[in-house]
Amino acid sequence: AQSVTQPDARVTVSEGASLQLRCKYSYSGTPYLFWYVQYPRQGLQLLLKYYSGDPVVQGVNGFEAEFIKSNSSFHLRKASVHWSDSAVYFCAVSGNSNNRIFFGDGTQLVVKP
Amino acid sequence: DTTVKQNPRYKLARVGKPVNLICSQTMNHDTMYWYQKKPNQAPKLLLFYYDKILNREADTFEKFQSSRPNNSFCSLYIGSAGLEYSAMYLCASSSGTGGYEQYFGPGTRLTVL
C-alpha cells in the first residue's frame, strides 16, 4: 500500500536555526518524491522533487531533501530558517505507473523571531 | 507559466443548494485534479480527468461530479451541499501519465451554512 508518514504534526524553531522535517514513505514501485509547502490562505507550491540520480535534491529558498532508499525516507532540510518559512509542509509520493500522488498529513512549521 | 487559476476564491453556500467551482490552466496539461483539503489533514483526492476520461474516487463517487469541456477548463459540481462539504477545494494539473509533479491553484474556500 502507498502511504506517507510525517511523524511531527508541528515543529517550532527559532529564526536562523537549522531545520529538518521528517518524512517516511511506503511505495511498492520506484518512488517519485515531493515536498510541497502551503502558506496561509494559498494553494500548495512545489518545493522540490526527486525522480532519480543524486539522492540530495535542491529546491527553492534554500531547501534540500535527501532520498535514503534503505530507510524509505525523504527528509527536508534547511540550514537557516527565516520567519517567512512558517507554513505547512507536505511530503508526497507517486510513481510512474499511475496519476495519483499520496500526501502525508503535513507538518506545521512555526519560526519564532 | 505554471499557473492554475480557480474561481471563485471564496464561496458561501446554503445547505442543500448546488455548488459549482471552476479551474483553468494554460499549460496544456493532459490531467486535471480536484482535491478537498481540511485543516490538519492531507489533501484528499476527489477525482481527476486524464484527457477526457473522468476517474472518481470510490468513497466520494456519488458526492462530486465534474466536467471538462476542453483541455484548459475543469469544473467541480456538488449537487446538494452539506455542512461536511465546508473545506478548501484545490485544483491541480500535471503532464504525462506517470506520477509527475502537480501544479496547484490557490484554492476555493467553500463555507456551507
Side-chain angles (χ1 to χ4, degrees), chain B residues 21-49:
Chain B
L21 308 180
I22 302 296
C23 177
S24 66
Q25 52 92 10
T26 56
M27 297 170 281
N28 201 33
H29 282 169
D30 50 24
T31 309
M32 295 185 73
Y33 308 79
W34 281 100
Y35 292 85
Q36 182 188 67
K37 175 74 175 66
K38 293 187 175 181
N40 304 314
Q41 295 182 16
K44 176 181 173 60
L45 180 65
L46 300 176
L47 52 88
F48 67 92
Y49 263 101

mmCIF file of all heavy atoms in Angstrom, chain B residues 21-49:
data_model
loop_
_atom_site.group_PDB
_atom_site.id
_atom_site.type_symbol
_atom_site.label_atom_id
_atom_site.label_comp_id
_atom_site.label_asym_id
_atom_site.label_seq_id
_atom_site.Cartn_x
_atom_site.Cartn_y
_atom_site.Cartn_z
ATOM 1 N N LEU B 21 -17.623 24.917 -8.909
ATOM 2 C CA LEU B 21 -16.302 25.550 -8.816
ATOM 3 C C LEU B 21 -15.569 25.367 -10.141
ATOM 4 O O LEU B 21 -15.704 24.331 -10.787
ATOM 5 C CB LEU B 21 -15.487 24.932 -7.676
ATOM 6 C CG LEU B 21 -16.175 24.876 -6.303
ATOM 7 C CD1 LEU B 21 -15.239 24.238 -5.284
ATOM 8 C CD2 LEU B 21 -16.620 26.248 -5.853
ATOM 9 N N ILE B 22 -14.766 26.382 -10.479
ATOM 10 C CA ILE B 22 -14.131 26.397 -11.799
ATOM 11 C C ILE B 22 -12.610 26.414 -11.660
ATOM 12 O O ILE B 22 -12.068 27.073 -10.760
ATOM 13 C CB ILE B 22 -14.562 27.633 -12.603
ATOM 14 C CG1 ILE B 22 -16.084 27.678 -12.754
ATOM 15 C CG2 ILE B 22 -13.891 27.662 -13.967
ATOM 16 C CD1 ILE B 22 -16.640 26.533 -13.555
ATOM 17 N N CYS B 23 -11.937 25.729 -12.552
ATOM 18 C CA CYS B 23 -10.479 25.698 -12.596
ATOM 19 C C CYS B 23 -10.022 25.810 -14.047
ATOM 20 O O CYS B 23 -10.663 25.265 -14.946
ATOM 21 C CB CYS B 23 -9.979 24.393 -11.993
ATOM 22 S SG CYS B 23 -8.184 24.171 -12.066
ATOM 23 N N SER B 24 -8.916 26.513 -14.239
ATOM 24 C CA SER B 24 -8.359 26.605 -15.586
ATOM 25 C C SER B 24 -6.837 26.562 -15.520
ATOM 26 O O SER B 24 -6.231 26.982 -14.531
ATOM 27 C CB SER B 24 -8.820 27.881 -16.288
ATOM 28 O OG SER B 24 -8.295 29.027 -15.640
ATOM 29 N N GLN B 25 -6.242 26.054 -16.586
ATOM 30 C CA GLN B 25 -4.784 26.029 -16.705
ATOM 31 C C GLN B 25 -4.403 26.245 -18.162
ATOM 32 O O GLN B 25 -5.128 25.821 -19.067
ATOM 33 C CB GLN B 25 -4.201 24.714 -16.166
ATOM 34 C CG GLN B 25 -4.808 23.441 -16.726
ATOM 35 C CD GLN B 25 -4.109 22.871 -17.932
ATOM 36 O OE1 GLN B 25 -3.007 23.291 -18.316
ATOM 37 N NE2 GLN B 25 -4.737 21.873 -18.564
ATOM 38 N N THR B 26 -3.264 26.893 -18.342
ATOM 39 C CA THR B 26 -2.837 27.246 -19.702
ATOM 40 C C THR B 26 -1.569 26.504 -20.097
ATOM 41 O O THR B 26 -0.865 26.915 -21.024
ATOM 42 C CB THR B 26 -2.602 28.768 -19.798
ATOM 43 O OG1 THR B 26 -1.655 29.166 -18.797
ATOM 44 C CG2 THR B 26 -3.900 29.530 -19.600
ATOM 45 N N MET B 27 -1.242 25.438 -19.414
ATOM 46 C CA MET B 27 -0.006 24.701 -19.649
ATOM 47 C C MET B 27 -0.205 23.518 -20.588
ATOM 48 O O MET B 27 0.724 22.735 -20.804
ATOM 49 C CB MET B 27 0.561 24.216 -18.307
ATOM 50 C CG MET B 27 0.930 25.367 -17.382
ATOM 51 S SD MET B 27 1.330 24.841 -15.709
ATOM 52 C CE MET B 27 -0.307 24.606 -15.022
ATOM 53 N N ASN B 28 -1.440 23.352 -21.072
ATOM 54 C CA ASN B 28 -1.769 22.228 -21.953
ATOM 55 C C ASN B 28 -1.530 20.881 -21.275
ATOM 56 O O ASN B 28 -1.147 19.900 -21.929
ATOM 57 C CB ASN B 28 -0.962 22.309 -23.261
ATOM 58 C CG ASN B 28 -1.623 21.509 -24.368
ATOM 59 O OD1 ASN B 28 -2.847 21.406 -24.434
ATOM 60 N ND2 ASN B 28 -0.818 20.935 -25.242
ATOM 61 N N HIS B 29 -1.758 20.848 -19.978
ATOM 62 C CA HIS B 29 -1.603 19.602 -19.246
ATOM 63 C C HIS B 29 -2.761 18.653 -19.564
ATOM 64 O O HIS B 29 -3.912 19.083 -19.685
ATOM 65 C CB HIS B 29 -1.563 19.866 -17.747
ATOM 66 C CG HIS B 29 -0.235 20.392 -17.293
ATOM 67 N ND1 HIS B 29 -0.030 20.914 -16.026
ATOM 68 C CD2 HIS B 29 0.971 20.457 -17.916
ATOM 69 C CE1 HIS B 29 1.223 21.277 -15.897
ATOM 70 N NE2 HIS B 29 1.856 21.026 -17.034
ATOM 71 N N ASP B 30 -2.451 17.364 -19.647
ATOM 72 C CA ASP B 30 -3.499 16.421 -20.007
ATOM 73 C C ASP B 30 -4.313 15.942 -18.800
ATOM 74 O O ASP B 30 -5.375 15.371 -18.967
ATOM 75 C CB ASP B 30 -2.921 15.215 -20.753
ATOM 76 C CG ASP B 30 -1.734 14.599 -20.038
ATOM 77 O OD1 ASP B 30 -1.612 14.772 -18.808
ATOM 78 O OD2 ASP B 30 -0.911 13.942 -20.706
ATOM 79 N N THR B 31 -3.813 16.179 -17.596
ATOM 80 C CA THR B 31 -4.513 15.689 -16.418
ATOM 81 C C THR B 31 -4.857 16.842 -15.481
ATOM 82 O O THR B 31 -4.008 17.704 -15.213
ATOM 83 C CB THR B 31 -3.663 14.653 -15.663
ATOM 84 O OG1 THR B 31 -3.214 13.651 -16.580
ATOM 85 C CG2 THR B 31 -4.465 13.976 -14.565
ATOM 86 N N MET B 32 -6.091 16.844 -15.012
ATOM 87 C CA MET B 32 -6.532 17.852 -14.043
ATOM 88 C C MET B 32 -7.200 17.149 -12.871
ATOM 89 O O MET B 32 -7.938 16.176 -13.067
ATOM 90 C CB MET B 32 -7.477 18.872 -14.679
ATOM 91 C CG MET B 32 -6.782 19.711 -15.760
ATOM 92 S SD MET B 32 -7.805 21.015 -16.444
ATOM 93 C CE MET B 32 -7.835 22.207 -15.101
ATOM 94 N N TYR B 33 -6.936 17.654 -11.667
ATOM 95 C CA TYR B 33 -7.358 17.004 -10.440
ATOM 96 C C TYR B 33 -8.176 17.968 -9.586
ATOM 97 O O TYR B 33 -7.985 19.175 -9.616
ATOM 98 C CB TYR B 33 -6.133 16.608 -9.596
ATOM 99 C CG TYR B 33 -5.073 15.807 -10.291
ATOM 100 C CD1 TYR B 33 -4.139 16.412 -11.132
ATOM 101 C CD2 TYR B 33 -4.967 14.434 -10.083
ATOM 102 C CE1 TYR B 33 -3.147 15.681 -11.754
ATOM 103 C CE2 TYR B 33 -3.967 13.685 -10.696
ATOM 104 C CZ TYR B 33 -3.063 14.322 -11.531
ATOM 105 O OH TYR B 33 -2.082 13.586 -12.144
ATOM 106 N N TRP B 34 -9.013 17.364 -8.737
ATOM 107 C CA TRP B 34 -9.684 18.111 -7.675
ATOM 108 C C TRP B 34 -9.439 17.400 -6.348
ATOM 109 O O TRP B 34 -9.613 16.185 -6.240
ATOM 110 C CB TRP B 34 -11.190 18.206 -7.912
ATOM 111 C CG TRP B 34 -11.585 19.246 -8.901
ATOM 112 C CD1 TRP B 34 -11.908 19.055 -10.212
ATOM 113 C CD2 TRP B 34 -11.715 20.652 -8.666
ATOM 114 N NE1 TRP B 34 -12.237 20.257 -10.809
ATOM 115 C CE2 TRP B 34 -12.122 21.256 -9.875
ATOM 116 C CE3 TRP B 34 -11.527 21.471 -7.548
ATOM 117 C CZ2 TRP B 34 -12.343 22.626 -10.004
ATOM 118 C CZ3 TRP B 34 -11.746 22.817 -7.674
ATOM 119 C CH2 TRP B 34 -12.146 23.387 -8.890
ATOM 120 N N TYR B 35 -9.017 18.222 -5.363
ATOM 121 C CA TYR B 35 -8.793 17.740 -4.014
ATOM 122 C C TYR B 35 -9.666 18.524 -3.040
ATOM 123 O O TYR B 35 -9.973 19.698 -3.250
ATOM 124 C CB TYR B 35 -7.344 17.972 -3.581
ATOM 125 C CG TYR B 35 -6.297 17.152 -4.290
ATOM 126 C CD1 TYR B 35 -5.755 17.562 -5.511
ATOM 127 C CD2 TYR B 35 -5.818 15.977 -3.727
ATOM 128 C CE1 TYR B 35 -4.778 16.823 -6.142
ATOM 129 C CE2 TYR B 35 -4.827 15.228 -4.353
ATOM 130 C CZ TYR B 35 -4.323 15.664 -5.548
ATOM 131 O OH TYR B 35 -3.340 14.922 -6.171
ATOM 132 N N GLN B 36 -9.990 17.864 -1.936
ATOM 133 C CA GLN B 36 -10.627 18.525 -0.803
ATOM 134 C C GLN B 36 -9.590 18.596 0.319
ATOM 135 O O GLN B 36 -8.954 17.596 0.642
ATOM 136 C CB GLN B 36 -11.852 17.732 -0.341
ATOM 137 C CG GLN B 36 -12.616 18.369 0.808
ATOM 138 C CD GLN B 36 -13.687 17.429 1.342
ATOM 139 O OE1 GLN B 36 -13.371 16.383 1.909
ATOM 140 N NE2 GLN B 36 -14.954 17.801 1.150
ATOM 141 N N LYS B 37 -9.437 19.786 0.884
ATOM 142 C CA LYS B 37 -8.433 19.965 1.924
ATOM 143 C C LYS B 37 -9.100 20.553 3.162
ATOM 144 O O LYS B 37 -9.677 21.645 3.127
ATOM 145 C CB LYS B 37 -7.320 20.910 1.423
ATOM 146 C CG LYS B 37 -6.273 21.284 2.456
ATOM 147 C CD LYS B 37 -5.343 20.152 2.719
ATOM 148 C CE LYS B 37 -4.208 20.571 3.660
ATOM 149 N NZ LYS B 37 -4.699 20.894 5.015
ATOM 150 N N LYS B 38 -8.998 19.803 4.274
ATOM 151 C CA LYS B 38 -9.497 20.302 5.556
ATOM 152 C C LYS B 38 -8.311 20.553 6.473
ATOM 153 O O LYS B 38 -7.241 19.955 6.285
ATOM 154 C CB LYS B 38 -10.487 19.307 6.164
ATOM 155 C CG LYS B 38 -11.772 19.197 5.337
ATOM 156 C CD LYS B 38 -12.814 18.337 6.023
ATOM 157 C CE LYS B 38 -14.119 18.358 5.220
ATOM 158 N NZ LYS B 38 -15.191 17.547 5.861
ATOM 159 N N PRO B 39 -8.459 21.409 7.460
ATOM 160 C CA PRO B 39 -7.339 21.739 8.349
ATOM 161 C C PRO B 39 -6.730 20.499 8.990
ATOM 162 O O PRO B 39 -7.448 19.575 9.399
ATOM 163 C CB PRO B 39 -7.986 22.653 9.387
ATOM 164 C CG PRO B 39 -9.141 23.271 8.684
ATOM 165 C CD PRO B 39 -9.656 22.208 7.772
ATOM 166 N N ASN B 40 -5.415 20.483 9.063
ATOM 167 C CA ASN B 40 -4.654 19.416 9.715
ATOM 168 C C ASN B 40 -4.846 18.050 9.051
ATOM 169 O O ASN B 40 -4.649 17.008 9.691
ATOM 170 C CB ASN B 40 -5.022 19.309 11.196
ATOM 171 C CG ASN B 40 -4.821 20.617 11.935
ATOM 172 O OD1 ASN B 40 -3.789 21.281 11.786
ATOM 173 N ND2 ASN B 40 -5.819 21.034 12.688
ATOM 174 N N GLN B 41 -5.242 18.062 7.801
ATOM 175 C CA GLN B 41 -5.389 16.812 7.060
ATOM 176 C C GLN B 41 -4.649 16.898 5.730
ATOM 177 O O GLN B 41 -4.394 17.994 5.207
ATOM 178 C CB GLN B 41 -6.862 16.505 6.791
ATOM 179 C CG GLN B 41 -7.686 16.233 8.034
ATOM 180 C CD GLN B 41 -9.121 15.880 7.694
ATOM 181 O OE1 GLN B 41 -9.448 15.545 6.557
ATOM 182 N NE2 GLN B 41 -10.000 15.946 8.686
ATOM 183 N N ALA B 42 -4.310 15.754 5.188
ATOM 184 C CA ALA B 42 -3.728 15.708 3.857
ATOM 185 C C ALA B 42 -4.775 16.063 2.806
ATOM 186 O O ALA B 42 -5.979 15.845 3.028
ATOM 187 C CB ALA B 42 -3.178 14.312 3.583
ATOM 188 N N PRO B 43 -4.368 16.622 1.698
ATOM 189 C CA PRO B 43 -5.329 16.805 0.602
ATOM 190 C C PRO B 43 -5.938 15.461 0.218
ATOM 191 O O PRO B 43 -5.227 14.461 0.091
ATOM 192 C CB PRO B 43 -4.467 17.367 -0.532
ATOM 193 C CG PRO B 43 -3.273 17.943 0.142
ATOM 194 C CD PRO B 43 -3.022 17.088 1.333
ATOM 195 N N LYS B 44 -7.237 15.463 0.027
ATOM 196 C CA LYS B 44 -7.945 14.231 -0.314
ATOM 197 C C LYS B 44 -8.349 14.284 -1.779
ATOM 198 O O LYS B 44 -9.116 15.174 -2.186
ATOM 199 C CB LYS B 44 -9.192 14.075 0.566
ATOM 200 C CG LYS B 44 -10.052 12.869 0.237
ATOM 201 C CD LYS B 44 -11.270 12.815 1.134
ATOM 202 C CE LYS B 44 -12.234 11.711 0.723
ATOM 203 N NZ LYS B 44 -11.616 10.373 0.770
ATOM 204 N N LEU B 45 -7.860 13.355 -2.559
ATOM 205 C CA LEU B 45 -8.197 13.324 -3.974
ATOM 206 C C LEU B 45 -9.667 12.952 -4.150
ATOM 207 O O LEU B 45 -10.133 11.943 -3.611
ATOM 208 C CB LEU B 45 -7.316 12.309 -4.712
ATOM 209 C CG LEU B 45 -7.561 12.173 -6.202
ATOM 210 C CD1 LEU B 45 -7.213 13.467 -6.939
ATOM 211 C CD2 LEU B 45 -6.762 11.004 -6.787
ATOM 212 N N LEU B 46 -10.382 13.786 -4.893
ATOM 213 C CA LEU B 46 -11.804 13.523 -5.170
ATOM 214 C C LEU B 46 -11.981 12.853 -6.528
ATOM 215 O O LEU B 46 -12.727 11.882 -6.662
ATOM 216 C CB LEU B 46 -12.582 14.836 -5.159
ATOM 217 C CG LEU B 46 -12.556 15.630 -3.857
ATOM 218 C CD1 LEU B 46 -13.299 16.950 -4.031
ATOM 219 C CD2 LEU B 46 -13.147 14.821 -2.716
ATOM 220 N N LEU B 47 -11.311 13.407 -7.527
ATOM 221 C CA LEU B 47 -11.432 12.900 -8.883
ATOM 222 C C LEU B 47 -10.336 13.523 -9.743
ATOM 223 O O LEU B 47 -9.711 14.499 -9.336
ATOM 224 C CB LEU B 47 -12.813 13.239 -9.472
ATOM 225 C CG LEU B 47 -13.267 14.701 -9.415
ATOM 226 C CD1 LEU B 47 -12.790 15.472 -10.637
ATOM 227 C CD2 LEU B 47 -14.781 14.803 -9.296
ATOM 228 N N PHE B 48 -10.136 12.919 -10.923
ATOM 229 C CA PHE B 48 -9.244 13.553 -11.886
ATOM 230 C C PHE B 48 -9.661 13.174 -13.294
ATOM 231 O O PHE B 48 -10.283 12.124 -13.524
ATOM 232 C CB PHE B 48 -7.769 13.205 -11.633
ATOM 233 C CG PHE B 48 -7.397 11.763 -11.861
ATOM 234 C CD1 PHE B 48 -6.934 11.332 -13.103
ATOM 235 C CD2 PHE B 48 -7.472 10.845 -10.830
ATOM 236 C CE1 PHE B 48 -6.567 10.011 -13.305
ATOM 237 C CE2 PHE B 48 -7.103 9.523 -11.025
ATOM 238 C CZ PHE B 48 -6.659 9.095 -12.267
ATOM 239 N N TYR B 49 -9.335 14.079 -14.205
ATOM 240 C CA TYR B 49 -9.534 13.836 -15.630
ATOM 241 C C TYR B 49 -8.177 13.563 -16.259
ATOM 242 O O TYR B 49 -7.254 14.353 -16.130
ATOM 243 C CB TYR B 49 -10.108 15.088 -16.315
ATOM 244 C CG TYR B 49 -11.595 15.087 -16.499
ATOM 245 C CD1 TYR B 49 -12.426 15.795 -15.636
ATOM 246 C CD2 TYR B 49 -12.186 14.394 -17.556
ATOM 247 C CE1 TYR B 49 -13.799 15.808 -15.810
ATOM 248 C CE2 TYR B 49 -13.559 14.399 -17.739
ATOM 249 C CZ TYR B 49 -14.366 15.114 -16.851
ATOM 250 O OH TYR B 49 -15.729 15.126 -17.035
#
